């Protein structure tokens, strides 16, 4: 977590007052940002990512949040029509979508967020993370395991598709070369 020492040099200065806001725009958030937060935990700290490629990697994880929010909203609308187990299927669909379109990490995050949202909004007692019926703990574990398994399988399929695409390109290039010869 420690970046170049020169980027952390401002920590050596004595400050006359506690800052209310700190804006870290120098480089990728890391050690310096962590040290700033440790030194002034009450200050509002904004750290900007300077590498666009790294920042773009966050979008699938935000997509996980959107999928869980949509499943929760749909579940809230349908909760009087469906049983709790059927409401869980809405979250499972979100996990499957995350696995196939966003990747393993976002799918696992979607699984975790789905369990928390389902527990908080639908499992009695509602609006708490307490579970009165231990049977739901097995349901939560099942959703997490399914999310991990599906995301692993989807990652394998994606890798096989990429391998097949590369083989097809190589075969086409070899065919073109043999035809030219």
């Amino acid at each position: 977590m420690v970046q170049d020492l020169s980027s952390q040099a401002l920590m050596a200065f004595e400050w006359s007052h506690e800052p209310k806001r700190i804006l870290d725009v120098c480089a990728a958030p890391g050690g310096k940002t962590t040290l700033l937060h440790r030194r002034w935990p009450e200050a509002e700290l904004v750290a900007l990512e300077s590498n666009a490629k790294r920042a773009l990697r966050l979008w699938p994880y935000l997509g996980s949040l959107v999928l869980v929010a949509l499943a929760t909203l749909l579940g809230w609308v349908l909760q009087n029509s469906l049983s709790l187990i059927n409401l869980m299927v809405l979250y499972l669909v979100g996990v499957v979508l995350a696995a196939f379109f966003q990747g393993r990490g976002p799918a696992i995050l979607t699984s975790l967020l789905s369990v928390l949202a389902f527990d908080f909004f639908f499992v009695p007692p509602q609006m708490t993370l307490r579970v009165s019926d231990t049977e739901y703990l097995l349901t939560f574990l099942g959703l997490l395991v399914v999310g991990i398994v599906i995301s692993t399988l989807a990652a394998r399929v994606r890798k096989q598709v990429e391998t097949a695409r590369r083989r097809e390109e190589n075969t086409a290039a070899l065919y073109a070369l043999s035809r030219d010869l």
Side-chain angles (χ1 to χ4, degrees):
M1 281 177 46
V2 178
Q3 293 177 348
D4 182 51
L5 293 177
S6 63
S7 69
Q8 298 175 20
L10 69 104
M11 301 305 293
F13 295 112
E14 287 299 320
W15 296 77
S16 60
H17 66 284
E18 293 283 320
K20 292 181 182 175
R21 290 190 188 114
I22 302 170
L23 180 61
D24 179 8
V25 295
C26 296
K32 177 175 29 85
T33 306
T34 304
L35 291 173
L36 287 167
H37 179 66
R38 282 188 193 149
R39 183 158 180 190
W40 296 292
E42 301 300 318
E44 177 187 354
L45 178 60
V46 177
L48 301 180
E49 175 61 69
S50 63
N51 185 326
K53 287 183 181 179
R54 272 196 306 235
L56 287 176
R57 284 189 239 150
L58 295 176
W59 283 109
Y61 292 93
L62 293 174
S64 296
L65 188 61
V66 170
L67 285 170
V68 172
L70 289 173
T72 302
L73 183 63
L74 189 58
W76 196 261
V77 170
L78 298 173
Q79 70 180 332
N80 293 329
S81 311
L82 299 174
S83 68
L84 284 179
I85 296 303
N86 289 330
L87 288 176
M88 178 58 87
V89 172
L90 296 173
Y91 290 104
L92 190 56
V93 169
V95 170
V96 170
L97 290 173
F100 281 107
F101 295 109
Q102 298 173 324
R104 181 180 297 162
I108 292 171
L109 179 63
T110 304
S111 294
L112 291 170
L113 293 175
S114 294
V115 166
L116 293 173
F118 180 71
D119 181 24
F120 189 80
F121 290 107
F122 301 109
V123 174
Q126 291 179 327
M127 303 304 171
T128 68
L129 291 176
R130 280 185 280 154
V131 179
S132 60
D133 187 355
T134 55
E135 191 175 291
Y136 286 111
L137 295 175
L138 186 60
T139 305
F140 299 158
L141 181 64
L143 180 64
L144 289 173
V145 168
V146 166
I148 291 169
V149 168
I150 288 174
S151 62
T152 300
L153 292 174
R156 282 185 192 167
V157 167
R158 235 184 269 103
K159 187 175 181 180
Q160 288 173 351
V161 165
E162 183 59 34
T163 301
R165 189 173 295 132
R166 273 188 271 129
R167 284 183 185 158
E168 179 185 4
E169 289 171 1
N170 289 343
T171 303
L174 287 172
Y175 175 73
L177 178 65
S178 69
R179 199 177 51 203
D180 289 344
L181 291 176

